Amino acid sequence: METTKAEHTSKCHVVVVPYPGRGHVNSMMNLCKLLCSKSTDILITFVVTEEWFGFIGWDNKPANVRFRTIPNVIPSEHVRAKDFPGFVAAVLTKMEAPFEELLDRLESPVTVIIADTYMSWTVEVGKRRNIPVAFLWTMSASVLSVFYHFNLLVENHHFPADLSEQGNELVDYIPGLTHTRLADLPTIFYGNGRQTLQLALDCVSLVPKAQYLLFTSVYELELQVIDAFKAKLPFPVYPIGPSIPYLDLKENSSESSSPGNPDYLQWLDSQPQGSVLYVSFGSFLSVSAAQMDEIVAGVHDSGVRYLWVSRGDSSRFKDCCGGRGRVIPWSDQLRVLCHSSVGGFWTHCGWNSTLEAAYAGVPVLTFPIFWDQVPNSKQIVEDWKIGWRVKKDKVGEHLMTREEIAELVRKFMDFDSNEGKEMRTWAGKLRETCQLGIAKGGSSDINLDSFIQNISEGHTH
Ligand SMILES: O=c1ccn([C@@H]2O[C@H](COP(=O)(O)OP(=O)(O)O[C@H]3O[C@H](CO)[C@@H](O)[C@H](O)[C@H]3O)[C@@H](O)[C@H]2O)c(=O)[nH]1
């Protein structure tokens, strides 16, 4: 692997440890890009498994970021969905030793470790080596507050709980959290979520042992809950978001029919303004085949134009598409969302996708599948008012029919309805909030500067 000039000259050597999952790796890399855009005096060592290096090693990255790998000590990305709790357990127990060996081999002394909060074992490594640790929380601050104050759920007889009976009960006692129904909390009450809960709680319990807490969120998007953390934790709490690749947009601006652009961007160029629904279900846990067939048919029957990211079985799309729809295996998502032809986003509500929708000011149809995606959907629909839920009943698993879906999509993409207009006004306001946060002197801009100043001066609080 390459040796950069920065390696020998930088004052500030940051070692970053993302959690091995697409949404997490992306937000960590975006944070690195933001740090490098602020200071040329930073060297970043980005630590991933050999498998993940194969996925991202060739991606666009700043010259001051270099990859270093540890062996594939965790289950492969290709099989991890088969045993999700087992995968998380391996991440928490198997990576620490090879990470320490890697630290021993690094040439320049480490100024700070920035680790995903789920890589909680890094606090012990930092303590042993006298290196400060900054945790990056890649979900919403609201979700961290739920896990951080989990004891309150137990005290209020809201865990364990039967959502079919208690789902509508109000949770109004988590610091900073806007009023939320029990059914809108992360999926911790059953299945994989229940099995993973203790591991997540163990990680979150180590937050007070770090020296910094970074959020991928924007302060103004979750002001009360971030203030609650600031009041509680004895060290700096910095929302630096949205930690999404907006710098790449500026570097390489498109929205012209440039022949170098991928097909789907050229196709978008030729669609009417705001007419296209962009559909993406995320990279990991998916929906039943029967439901997926109804969704595909429903979106198609709605008559609305669409751009669909699907990496799975493409045969279900064979009768669709035509001139009005495109199905692609991968998109440059933020660029797509910021394209003027895109007027709506059907999403599984991963936090990065949620932030990207906010940044682009695009209204959202929410289809949460697992974990934090459920509260993200609630935040989008109820707090920010920039979207609608696809499924109204959160508890039942009834199959939505193609007719129901077609009608919903048609209404959602109708710009003339009062409801639609109102939602688009809110979406515009949210876009402005994000722009103000990242502008010079905005909250995220100031937080990034303070963080860099603190780590460069070796403050450990
Ligand atoms: O065709 C595609 C599809 C996705 N993306 C990007 O991939 C990222 C996906 O991240 P996210 O929306 O957060 O989804 P997941 O990958 O599912 O994220 C995982 O990690 C998130 C952050 O911790 C959690 O909020 C989610 O629940 C969890 O599933 C986003 O930046 C997308 O822009 C693309 O660029 N092109």
Side-chain angles (χ1 to χ4, degrees):
M1 273 173 235
E2 81 275 36
T3 303
T4 62
K5 188 167 156 243
E7 190 169 317
H8 302 294
T9 56
S10 296
K11 272 205 291 208
C12 189
H13 180 196
V14 179
V15 170
V16 307
V17 196
Y19 171 90
R22 176 53 76 174
H24 298 253
V25 170
N26 282 11
S27 26
M28 190 63 97
M29 181 53 88
N30 290 327
L31 167 64
C32 294
K33 289 178 180 174
L34 290 171
L35 292 173
C36 291
S37 76
K38 288 274 179 190
S39 166
T40 48
D41 200 24
I42 290 184
L43 168 68
I44 298 182
T45 302
F46 199 98
V47 180
V48 286
T49 60
E50 281 157 10
E51 182 183 36
W52 266 95
F53 179 65
F55 298 147
I56 60 169
W58 314 112
D59 285 358
N60 171 27
K61 64 167 181 58
N64 286 9
V65 177
R66 59 182 195 166
F67 291 109
R68 288 292 180 267
T69 60
I70 60 168
N72 293 327
V73 288
I74 53 173
S76 163
E77 186 63 13
H78 300 296
V79 298
R80 72 170 184 158
K82 286 191 188 136
D83 175 16
F84 183 59
F87 177 80
V88 179
V91 169
L92 297 189
T93 53
K94 300 268 191 325
M95 293 178 76
E96 180 173 346
F99 175 68
E100 286 232 61
E101 284 162 26
L102 185 142
L103 284 183
D104 288 337
R105 292 197 303 273
L106 292 178
E107 317 75 7
S108 36
V110 180
T111 317
V112 65
I113 295 171
I114 305 181
D116 193 290
T117 312
Y118 280 121
M119 312 301 267
S120 55
W121 42 264
T122 48
V123 284
E124 280 307 316
V125 175
K127 199 165 141 201
R128 279 198 292 276
R129 293 170 179 251
N130 203 20
I131 305 170
V133 172
F135 273 147
L136 175 69
W137 181 251
T138 61
M139 300 179 196
S140 73
S142 307
V143 165
L144 183 64
S145 193
V146 172
F147 290 132
Y148 196 85
H149 300 101
F150 187 77
N151 62 316
L152 296 179
L153 284 174
V154 178
E155 281 167 27
N156 284 277
H157 308 290
H158 277 158
F159 192 89
D162 178 355
L163 289 191
S164 58
E165 285 180 6
Q166 293 173 269
N168 282 329
E169 288 180 19
L170 212 56
V171 177
D172 55 2
Y173 45 79
I174 304 276
L177 197 72
T178 51
H179 286 194
T180 297
R181 277 172 306 244
L182 204 55
D184 285 326
L185 291 184
T187 55
I188 52 176
F189 298 97
Y190 47 83
N192 271 348
R194 178 79 190 250
Q195 286 184 51
T196 318
L197 174 64
Q198 194 53 49
L199 296 173
L201 293 177
D202 290 347
C203 292
V204 167
S205 72
L206 292 175
V207 165
K209 297 209 182 306
Q211 281 71 44
Y212 303 92
L213 176 61
L214 307 176
F215 285 114
T216 58
S217 194
V218 182
Y219 173 66
E220 289 77 7
L221 293 183
E222 301 190 275
L223 185 141
Q224 285 159 326
V225 76
I226 292 171
D227 280 344
F229 275 114
K230 284 185 170 177
K232 186 157 276 188
L233 294 171
F235 50 73
V237 173
Y238 293 129
I240 50 79
S243 184
I244 58 175
Y246 60 83
L247 293 174
D248 297 353
L249 288 182
K250 287 178 192 147
E251 255 173 37
N252 175 15
S253 75
S254 78
E255 191 138 347
S256 63
S257 297
S258 131
N261 275 340
D263 261 19
Y264 62 88
L265 285 178
Q266 297 191 34
W267 177 79
L268 277 179
D269 288 346
S270 64
Q271 304 306 312
Q273 184 160 3
S275 66
V276 177
L277 177 69
Y278 171 65
V279 185
S280 173
F281 283 81
S283 49
F284 182 27
L285 296 150
S286 61
V287 200
S288 75
Q291 181 64 85
M292 206 58 193
D293 288 341
E294 290 306 296
I295 294 173
V296 171
V299 171
H300 178 71
D301 294 349
S302 72
V304 162
R305 293 160 210 266
Y306 57 88
L307 178 64
W308 197 307
V309 171
S310 169
R311 278 178 294 288
D313 177 13
S314 58
S315 61
R316 62 165 52 92
F317 291 100
K318 67 182 185 319
D319 299 328
C320 304
C321 301
R324 267 190 299 108
R326 294 291 299 265
V327 182
I328 51 175
W330 183 256
S331 80
D332 187 346
Q333 181 164 297
L334 186 59
R335 194 175 300 284
V336 165
L337 289 171
C338 290
H339 196 289
S340 61
S341 300
V342 172
F345 181 18
W346 176 311
T347 172
H348 72 307
C349 304
W351 184 240
N352 296 295
S353 295
T354 302
L355 288 173
E356 287 164 8
Y359 175 89
V362 175
V364 178
L365 273 177
T366 69
F367 196 86
I369 295 166
F370 176 66
W371 206 241
D372 64 321
Q373 298 156 12
V374 172
N376 296 346
S377 161
K378 184 261 174 190
Q379 212 158 346
I380 290 166
V381 174
E382 293 180 19
D383 300 352
W384 299 340
K385 303 181 175 47
I386 64 162
W388 296 351
R389 290 184 163 95
V390 173
K391 286 191 167 196
K392 302 283 180 274
D393 69 322
K394 290 163 291 297
V395 181
E397 269 300 308
H398 96 272
L399 194 73
M400 274 190 87
T401 64
R402 59 192 66 197
E403 290 77 20
E404 288 173 309
I405 289 163
E407 196 191 334
L408 177 75
V409 167
R410 258 194 304 272
K411 274 195 186 156
F412 177 74
M413 294 299 283
D414 174 7
F415 281 35
D416 295 328
S417 71
N418 285 340
E419 264 179 302
K421 278 186 192 149
E422 206 175 306
M423 182 167 63
R424 285 176 173 79
T425 306
W426 284 112
K429 286 186 183 161
L430 213 60
R431 181 179 51 211
E432 246 171 66
T433 304
C434 292
Q435 292 294 347
L436 287 174
I438 61 178
K440 186 116 205 79
S443 56
S444 291
D445 181 63
I446 291 176
N447 285 337
L448 274 169
D449 285 342
S450 317
F451 177 59
I452 292 173
Q453 195 182 350
N454 266 334
I455 58 174
S456 308
E457 289 172 359
H459 293 165
T460 52
H461 309 274

